[in-house]
Amino acid sequence: MCHGMAGPGRIRTTGCRASGRMTRPNIVFIFSDQQRADTMGYAGDEVAITPHLDRLALEGSVFRRCLASSPVCMTTRASVMTGLQVHQHGVWAFADPGIRFGQSHVRNIQSAGYRTGVVGKTHLWRHGGGHASDHLEEMADWGFDDARETTGPSESVDTDSIYTDYLAENGLLATHRNYLNLYLNSQRPLPWELPSSQLPTEAHLDMFIASLAEDWLRDNVSESQPFYLQVNFGGPHDPWDSPPEYRRMYNADHMVPSIGAEQSGPVSPLVSLLREHAPAKLDQMSRAENQVMKAKYYAKVTLIDDCVGRVIEALESKGLMGNTWIVFSSDHGEMLGDHGLLAKKNFYEGAVNVPCLFRPPGGGETQQSRALMSHLDIVATLIDIAGAPELIKSDGRSLLPMLDDRLQDTHQAAVLSELGLPPSVYTMVRTDRYKLSIDARSRAAIDLYDMQDDPDELRNLVNELDYQLIKSDLIENMLNPMISDLDTSAW
C-alpha cells in the first residue's frame, strides 16, 4: 500500500515511496454546478441517495461550512482559478478571458511538475456561438496540458463542443436542443412540471463528462509524472432533467418542504429583485408541488453521484486510489424554494454553502469539521498538496495541516462572498456566529443574521437596536479590512 501513517489513524499525504523513489500524490478535483451542501447522505439528509459521495466522506474529511466566493457561476470559478476574491479579479458577472494572464493555481501546479487537465464545463469564457475547441489556447494559458471542454447544459443550445459533436454523430442533437429550447423559452414549464430528458441515459451531459474523465485518465496516467485533473460537471444545475430511472428513485411525499416560514425585518434589495423577476412565482406553489420540484433536483443530485462513482471506478481500475487525493465541491448552491427563491444570486445558506470533502490517498478516518472556510482555502490546499508555489495576495489558507492530523472547528475568523454588477455590488461577511451583508459602495448594511439562534435566516436583525454594536463591529473590524483594496471610485 502506497501510504504511511501520520499520527493516530491518519494518513501521511505528502507522497509515498515506490521502487525506491518518492512519488507525489495525484489530485482529482471534482466540481459540480449549483449543488447544495445539505442534499447528500453524508450531510445528514435521510432522503438523498448518494452512495459514492457518502463513501468519499466515510474515507475522508468533510467541511460543513464552506462558503462560495460568489453565488454566481462565472464569478466564483474565476476565484477558484486565481485564488482571489471577486473584487480582486473583477469578474462580477461575465467571464473575462484576460485574467488568464494573471495568476492561476493550475499553472502553479503545472510548474511543480504535474500533468494537468480538465474535462467538462469551465465557464472561463463567454458563450454564444462557436465551438469550445476555439478556446483551447486559452485553456493552455490557464495551465491545462489537456483540456476536453464542454459547456453547461443551457449553453449547449448555441455553443458547440465535443458533447454536441457526439450528439450530432448519434442523431441526438435536435432532441437535446428542442428540449432545452422548451425549457428556456418564455413559456417554460414550471419547475415541478418539467419532463425528464429525452436523451438516452448514457447520452446525458453529465454522463458524457464522466466518460471524458475516464478517457483522460486512460490517456494521461504515467508512472513518471503525477497528474492534476479537474472534473467539472454541468449538474445538478437546472434544468433538472435527469433520466426517468433517477426520478423513479424518489417519492415526492418523502421530501421535506422548503423553508417557507414568514420572515421578519427588512427584505434585502437582492431578494426583492429575484422575487420580482422570477420566472416561477413560488409563493403560489402548493406543498405537493414544492415536494415534486425538490424530488426532481434530488434525482439530478443522484445522477451526479453516479458520475462521481464512475470517476472513482476509473481510478480503482488503474490502481490509483492509494496515491490520489479526491476533492469534491461545487461552485455555489441552489435555493430550491427556500425563502420563495430558486437558483442563486443571494447570500442565503442555500445559495452560498457548498459541499467540501477531501478523501486522502488510501482513504483515512471519517471526520467532519465546522471550521469556517471558502473556495480559496480549497485552492490553497490543492497547491499545498502538490508542493506548488503559493498564489500571491490570496486569502486562502491550506487545510493540509488539519487533514494530516486532526480536524479542528476553527480555520478562518471570517470569510467573504461577493455579488453584483458595479455599481450595484453587495458583499457578505460570515463569522462563526453572524452573517452580515452590505452595499459595497456605501457600506450600508442590508442583512444581519444570528446563524446560531436563527439558522434558517428568518429574522433580519439589521435594524434592531440591540444589534447595532455587533453590526458596527462586523463592518469595522471584519469586513472593511477584508475589502480594503476594493476601489469603487470608478463606479
Side-chain angles (χ1 to χ4, degrees), residues 24-25 27 109-110 112-116 145 225-228 385-386:
R24 288 172 294 166
I27 308 168
I109 291 175
Q110 182 189 51
Y114 276 70
R115 175 75 174 170
T116 58
D145 292 312
Q225 185 180 26
F227 65 82
Y228 169 52
I385 290 170

Side-chain angles (χ1 to χ4, degrees), residues 305-322:
D305 185 78
D306 274 356
C307 293
V308 170
R310 289 180 59 176
V311 177
I312 294 172
E313 184 177 349
L315 292 169
E316 286 181 324
S317 69
K318 296 182 179 302
L320 295 171
M321 292 290 280

Side-chain angles (χ1 to χ4, degrees), residues 423 425-426 438-446 475 488 491:
V425 167
Y426 303 92
I438 66 164
D439 180 304
R441 184 167 61 164
S442 69
R443 298 294 200 270
I446 58 175
I475 293 174
T488 63
W491 299 356

Side-chain angles (χ1 to χ4, degrees), residues 338-358:
D338 288 348
H339 305 287
L341 299 171
L342 290 175
K344 60 265 189 178
K345 297 184 180 179
N346 65 80
F347 294 128
Y348 286 126
E349 285 296 279
V352 296
N353 193 19
V354 294
C356 178
L357 64 84
F358 289 80

Side-chain angles (χ1 to χ4, degrees), residues 152-163:
S154 295
E155 293 81 11
S156 64
V157 167
D158 55 11
T159 303
D160 288 319
S161 69
I162 51 178
Y163 176 59

Side-chain angles (χ1 to χ4, degrees), residues 117-139:
V118 61
V119 298
K121 170 184 179 178
T122 69
H123 239 15
L124 296 175
W125 43 271
R126 295 193 186 191
H127 302 96
H131 196 285
S133 62
D134 300 336
H135 301 271
L136 283 174
E137 185 175 339
E138 295 172 36
M139 295 299 103

Side-chain angles (χ1 to χ4, degrees), residues 76-109:
T76 207
R77 289 166 189 267
S79 288
V80 169
M81 290 300 294
T82 63
L84 298 174
Q85 305 283 9
V86 179
H87 70 270
Q88 295 174 321
H89 61 63
V91 179
W92 289 102
F94 301 106
D96 176 9
I99 68 168
R100 71 186 189 276
F101 299 116
Q103 64 186 23
S104 161
H105 87 266
V106 179
R107 198 162 55 242
N108 282 27
I109 291 175

